[in-house]
Amino acid sequence: MLLRAIFAIALICASFASFARSNSLSVNLSLADRATVSDQEVMVDVVFTNNGSTPLSIAKWFVPEGALEGDLFLLSRDGKKVPYLGPIIKRAAPSAQDMITLAPGESITRSVDIAGMYDLSASGEYKMQYGVASSQLLGRTVPRQATDSKRFAESAADVVMESLMSNEVATFVEGRSNPLASLAADKSAVLSAKSSIAYSGSCSASQKSTLTSAVAAASNYANTSVSYLSGISGNTPRFTTWFGSATSSALSEIRTDYTKIKDALDNKSLVLDCSCKQSYYAYVYPTQPYKVYLCRAFWSAPMTGTDSKAGTLIHELSHFNVIAGTQDNAYGQSAAKALAISNPQQARDNADSHEYFSENTPSQQ
Amino acid sequence: MQIFSFAWAARCFCFLIFFSYTAFSFASSLTIKNDLHCRITVPATVRAGAAVSVKFELFNHGRRALNVLMWNTPIEAGFFAPYLSITGPDGELEYGGAMMKRGAPERADYARIKPGGTLMKTVNLAEIYQFNRAGRHNIKYVGKLFDVTTEKIPRSLEQHVAIALNCPDVAFDVILKD
């Protein structure tokens, strides 16, 4: 009986201690826009601050970055909970690399698009709060007494739920089609019955509509490239500018490349990812067809023409080993033109050369 | 005589300027190439499935600070180009990293190496190559540096002066777990 009482007191003390620690970590939520229309992102800024006097660690999956990978927010509309639609990832206990450490007084700020991950199909005032509770929230940066560390680790008292809540903010959100539920609808919206587009990395509604147009424009580029190549049998300004002399083997190599690019756009399942925040255009893993990661320069590029959205998709598709396995031997129009003269073989293996041939800007015969 | 007119003098002058500028940039890129040295270091043996920690170093042996565009080197964070060719007992290993279409570089894409200075980074090649066959593996740097300059950065793609980088090949043995 006495033992049980001691255990209970220990448990209370342990929860208290952890409460005190999590209390020195505060979270503040703020909204970028007071109201959002249906094709707009719902951006919130989340600021984590260590108000204590010792360093604090938090498992990184509770600090959202780019795409949400867990239900980290409490959303309600008219007093009703709004369901979370995003992925929920099963985690092992966090290891040292999984922790983000905040020095005393340090803050980190993250911007998150709520729209992709919660059901915002109805218009109305949405109340939002960051709120998580987990036994793995905070790292054990506070060293325990050496004598009881082992026992502590094994006792039930170690499994303490720690919680972290922010202030509540409210905003008017215009209802929008639920992106995850409409994934099936998106698939049918594309060009041909066999192909499909899926999105990952929290693409906003406007990004998705841009990507649908970009895929259609890329498909048009692929079709016109294939038909152009089938209509020539030797040197033309357009071919030689980008690929050097049109020998029969060079022609057949490039024809094969574009036939495969066209096939991917017509028949394969593309996955387009919006999570990249780097200044570049886009990237792929050549071993992982047909997923393309779009970065910042992509979004500001024109839809068609030199270094356009459509052309970038041609460039990226050409990289896949199952398509042409192209390299990045030269970047930019002038370097690509120079390569066609100095090393036509490398030009035929160059992703930008494929892109510029398709874009054909300025136009050549 | 017409040939000594002002217009002709101006043309000759322009040509001289252009010629000396071209010669100078060519000589300058040659010296930069001689100033930059590269070294790759690997452990002698690595267990299959373990990390393959490779140290990559760029030395500036010249007298001027160099701004090096970090694309095509392990110095930049992440693997965005297959600038290494790794050959094992079954031939060349498949590159599992990414390929990036770049736009104009930003300042942060460059690293500055002071005269006598070094840029160094250790990366784990097991993140992008599968080392699951026992035996000798050879690492060859097959990339190029897209832009190295003593001038103001960033520079647009058109201004870039690419430089071949000669890193001596290194080899190591992959052993299976015992």
Side-chain angles (χ1 to χ4, degrees), chain B residues 103-139:
Chain B
E106 296 184 335
R107 198 184 175 81
D109 291 314
Y110 287 83
R112 190 172 175 82
I113 324 181
K114 286 186 252 178
T118 311
L119 269 185
M120 185 184 79
K121 181 136 173 219
T122 301
V123 290
N124 175 12
L125 292 187
E127 287 176 23
I128 46 163
Y129 294 96
Q130 294 204 324
F131 298 96
N132 46 21
R133 279 273 283 127
R136 197 88 176 138
H137 285 69
N138 188 69
I139 303 180

Side-chain angles (χ1 to χ4, degrees), chain A residues 8-38:
Chain A
I9 290 166
L11 191 95
I12 291 163
C13 290
S15 349
F16 217 83
S18 77
F19 177 66
R21 273 194 294 129
S22 59
N23 224 12
S24 62
L25 180 65
S26 71
V27 188
N28 191 282
L29 201 64
S30 57
L31 281 160
D33 303 290
R34 282 278 140 244
T36 51
V37 293
S38 65

Side-chain angles (χ1 to χ4, degrees), chain B residues 8-30:
Chain B
W8 269 105
R11 268 173 228 182
C12 289
F13 181 72
C14 287
F15 176 76
L16 264 175
I17 293 283
F18 176 77
F19 178 78
S20 52
Y21 176 77
T22 316
F24 176 77
S25 359
F26 182 66
S28 159
S29 75
L30 269 186

Side-chain angles (χ1 to χ4, degrees), chain A residues 278-287 296 307 312 315-316 319 321 326-329 331-332 334 352 355-356, chain B residues 71-72 76-77 79-82 94-106 109 128 144 146 157-158:
Chain A
Q278 286 178 285
S279 63
Y280 311 125
Y281 282 94
Y283 67 95
V284 297
Y285 291 88
T287 51
R296 270 166 37 210
D307 290 317
T312 298
H315 172 120
E316 296 305 331
H319 276 316
N321 293 337
T326 56
Q327 302 294 310
D328 288 316
N329 295 321
Y331 287 121
S334 54
D352 259 358
E355 172 174 346
Y356 298 140
Chain B
W71 302 350
N72 265 358
E76 80 166 338
F79 295 98
F80 293 121
E94 185 175 60
Y95 170 71
M99 305 279 280
M100 178 71 87
K101 176 172 163 69
R102 319 271 191 171
E106 296 184 335
D109 291 314
I128 46 163
K144 63 174 176 191
F146 278 95
L157 292 179
E158 288 71 30

Side-chain angles (χ1 to χ4, degrees), chain A residues 59-83:
Chain A
K60 67 182 178 191
W61 39 87
F62 295 111
V63 181
E65 183 162 36
L68 271 183
E69 294 183 339
D71 187 6
L72 303 183
F73 293 88
L74 304 163
L75 263 73
S76 65
R77 186 182 49 83
D78 301 333
K80 288 188 199 117
K81 187 174 167 25
V82 173

